[in-house]
Amino acid sequence: MKIFNTLSKEKEGFEKKDVKMFVCGPTVYDNSHLGHARTYIAYDIIAKYLRYRNYNLFFLMNITDVDDKIISRAIETKKDPKQIAAQFEKAFMEDLKTLGIDTIDKFARASEHIAEIIDQIQRLVKKKFAYETATGVYFDITKFDDYGKLSHQNTEELKKHRIEPDTTKKHPHDFSLWKRKDKTELGWDSPFGFGRPGWHIEDTAISEKYLGTQYDIHGGAIDLIFPHHEAEIAQMESVSGKKPMVRIWTHTGFLLVNSEKMSKSLGNFITIKDAVKKHDPEVIRLFFAMSHYRSPINFDENNLKQTKNTLETLYNTLSVLKNIEKGKEDDGLQAEIERIKRTFLEHMDDDFNTPYAISSIFELIDLVNKFASTGKKISKNSKDLLGTTLMEMCNIFGILKNYAPPEISEDVKKLIDEREIARKKKDYKKADAVRVKLEKMGIVLEDTKNGVKWKRKF
Ligand code: AMP
């Protein structure tokens, strides 16, 4: 598999089987919009695909629940910042569920990792990468030679950015690790005085705790490359002395409205909650998957309407396939399905090229339609292969989930329970025998982290 690395600006080979991935989560001060959905759906598809390809993925996401935006919102609404964060974290979780984003293994709130944050800052100060002033603690970017390597900026270019103006800093572009605050504000006691953490240190403290000092994939949208991810590298590589902190840095392109980033500050956003009132979540997923994750996407209601038709075609194909008569078929059909599947995988292996992969799905649809329109028969094996291949491909994009198989009978339910009991008693012989019996009845079992799941054999 090849994945584009923002650091090298190249597609790099990636074959490691145990994969640790960290994606920057939301700042929970308001409802999430479709721009956020664009990024989180992209990583959900990447995670689904990695798991489909048998990578053993651990997917971590932080929740920024300590941030100036949350505090401003709390002041505006006369609420407690913790209440604001809890309210919008809950809303975010609801949005993920609605959009079928179900691949994240662990969410980690900044507010629950203050001890780890303080500890990381202390180590940075001890190693002289950070210094204390009257207003807090800052990272001294002159101590880290690689600063700028992710955003590909030299020292002169970096100096043009005015980061967090503060007269006590040694250099204008040093960034804050700890901000001293008045005791009346949200904050924690620390060796550097009462206050709260800077944004960048929240993420490296969390990633160090759950993924270690070096891990495989880090993600977010392109706006996070600088200063956020650049600062993360500076912090982590300085603290650990190990490079690289992250093997592959990935970044999603923006969802745009009239060529501008969809964002809260520009007021050109549609919340996920409003969008799903108008558009089926699967339409939204397919709409995003039809562009490459690194490409910008223009938000366009008409395109979304066209995507609805495309999704309907996919659902209809399943019904068309079901109704094709079984019989003897022309030679070569199974080989053709396998060829299409191989091409699909090649596209996905090439930096998750979803738009090309979707074109392989359409090749399968054409095959089905060719049989349906000519009245040709199709063998049971090919029919099964076509159905399962189509479903497998679509499941990676999180679509066709509403193609619900009919309810299972009481007998089947009993057998599933029987197998579970046998499995728990480690009577694998019996468990396997029941599995085979169920397969003969057209039910395939899948053991997942959340228990046993069943699907109907197509
Ligand atoms: P925030 O809550 O603003 O920190 O954003 C959470 C994630 O959504 C980050 O990875 C952002 O870069 C990403 N994001 C925000 N707006 C957009 C957009 N218009 N298109 C794509 N990703 C976005």
Side-chain angles (χ1 to χ4, degrees), residues 380 384 388 408 411-412 415-416 419 430-447 452-458:
K380 183 181 174 310
D384 283 351
T388 45
I408 43 172
D411 286 353
V412 169
L415 280 170
I416 295 176
R419 179 179 164 274
K430 179 161 182 201
D432 283 345
V434 180
R435 177 195 277 274
V436 172
K437 194 166 173 187
L438 280 165
E439 280 195 16
K440 284 191 184 139
M441 294 164 81
I443 302 291
V444 187
L445 297 185
E446 210 185 313
D447 295 314
V452 64
K453 288 207 170 124
W454 64 271
K455 58 184 179 191
R456 202 171 282 277
K457 227 171 150 182
F458 202 82

Side-chain angles (χ1 to χ4, degrees), residues 153-166:
Q153 299 181 84
N154 60 33
T155 320
E156 284 315 302
E157 285 166 318
L158 287 166
K159 279 186 187 159
K160 289 180 197 149
H161 301 281
R162 273 177 61 85
I163 295 179
E164 303 161 358
D166 182 294

Side-chain angles (χ1 to χ4, degrees), residues 163-341:
I163 295 179
E164 303 161 358
D166 182 294
T167 49
T168 68
K169 288 198 292 188
K170 285 189 188 165
H171 317 100
H173 37 309
D174 289 350
F175 55 85
S176 80
L177 301 172
W178 189 263
K179 302 172 194 178
R180 279 206 187 125
K181 295 286 169 191
D182 190 86
K183 284 252 179 187
T184 53
E185 287 195 31
L186 175 72
W188 290 264
D189 284 319
S190 87
F192 340 101
F194 185 86
R196 47 180 192 262
W199 174 33
H200 318 306
I201 199 84
E202 294 182 355
D203 288 16
T204 46
I206 285 172
S207 67
E208 187 184 13
K209 174 163 182 185
Y210 298 101
L211 309 179
T213 52
Q214 292 182 293
Y215 56 94
D216 307 297
I217 303 176
H218 193 326
I222 43 164
D223 55 339
L224 299 189
I225 297 176
F226 187 85
H228 188 48
H229 290 165
E230 197 75 74
E232 279 194 45
I233 294 180
Q235 293 165 170
M236 198 66 252
E237 293 188 358
S238 303
V239 133
S240 72
K242 291 186 206 149
K243 291 172 200 252
M245 165 199 177
V246 169
R247 166 89 177 76
I248 308 254
W249 283 92
T250 61
H251 293 96
T252 51
F254 283 146
L255 178 67
L256 306 170
V257 182
N258 297 327
S259 310
E260 279 188 304
K261 178 191 172 193
M262 179 179 281
S263 72
K264 185 89 193 40
S265 53
L266 289 172
N268 59 358
F269 64 93
I270 300 171
T271 63
I272 296 170
K273 292 195 192 309
D274 281 342
V276 295
K277 285 182 198 151
K278 269 169 103 178
H279 305 286
D280 187 294
E282 290 200 359
V283 171
I284 297 173
R285 290 189 69 108
L286 184 59
F287 173 69
F288 290 147
M290 284 165 111
S291 295
H292 190 268
Y293 76 90
R294 287 193 282 121
S295 307
I297 305 179
N298 252 314
F299 178 74
D300 183 334
E301 287 279 354
N302 287 331
N303 280 351
L304 270 161
K305 281 184 197 138
Q306 277 169 21
T307 312
K308 181 171 180 268
N309 297 338
T310 311
L311 188 67
E312 270 169 17
T313 308
L314 282 165
Y315 273 100
N316 286 339
T317 307
L318 290 175
S319 309
V320 170
L321 177 62
K322 246 188 154 171
N323 293 329
I324 294 178
E325 251 187 275
K326 282 184 198 156
K328 206 172 168 316
E329 75 197 19
D330 288 347
D331 288 341
L333 176 59
Q334 289 192 29
E336 179 61 359
I337 301 166
E338 296 292 357
R339 182 198 64 77
I340 296 173
K341 184 170 170 177

